[in-house]
Amino acid sequence: LSGEEGLTKAQLQKACSVNYRVKNPNFMEGSEVVVKSLKDAKDTEKFIVGWREHFVATVDPQHMPTGWRVDNPVVCGSRKDGDAYDGVKTW
C-alpha cells in the first residue's frame, strides 16, 4: 500500500485474523534463567545479597525488621521446628 491508499474492510478483517503469536520452543521464564545460572550455594548467596543491596538502594525502605541487614547470613531451606540454624532463624 502506498501512503495515499486506504485499507478496505476486508483487508482489516484479514489483518485481524493473522496469528501473530508464535510459540518459541526455546522460551524460558526469567526466573528459570536466573535459577539455572546459580551453580551452587555460594552463587545463590551472592545473588541473594546482591538482590538485597539492589532492594535497599532502589526502594530505600524506612521500616525493616529489627536486626535486618543486607549482609545477614543466607539460610537456604527451612526447618519445621523454626529453631535457630547457626544462630539465624529460618523463615
Side-chain angles (χ1 to χ4, degrees):
L1 293 173
S2 71
E4 309 244 342
E5 296 177 33
L7 293 171
T8 66
K9 186 174 181 177
Q11 289 171 320
L12 286 173
Q13 286 176 333
K14 184 175 181 182
C16 289
S17 68
V18 170
N19 183 10
Y20 61 91
R21 292 184 184 196
V22 179
K23 188 169 185 159
N24 179 351
N26 299 317
F27 175 79
M28 276 197 288
E29 295 285 343
S31 55
E32 188 178 352
V33 173
V34 170
V35 170
K36 285 183 181 243
S37 75
L38 304 173
K39 295 170 182 48
D40 55 24
K42 195 82 166 161
D43 275 354
T44 303
E45 185 168 3
K46 254 176 89 174
F47 173 78
I48 291 170
V49 170
W51 184 254
R52 290 173 181 171
E53 290 169 346
H54 171 75
F55 170 77
V56 169
T58 304
V59 178
D60 189 27
Q62 302 301 305
H63 306 284
M64 295 298 288
T66 302
W68 188 93
R69 295 187 339 256
V70 166
D71 60 348
N72 277 347
V74 174
V75 178
C76 297
S78 63
R79 294 174 55 175
K80 291 181 182 176
D81 60 12
D83 284 344
Y85 178 78
D86 290 335
V88 179
K89 281 283 196 186
T90 58
W91 298 91

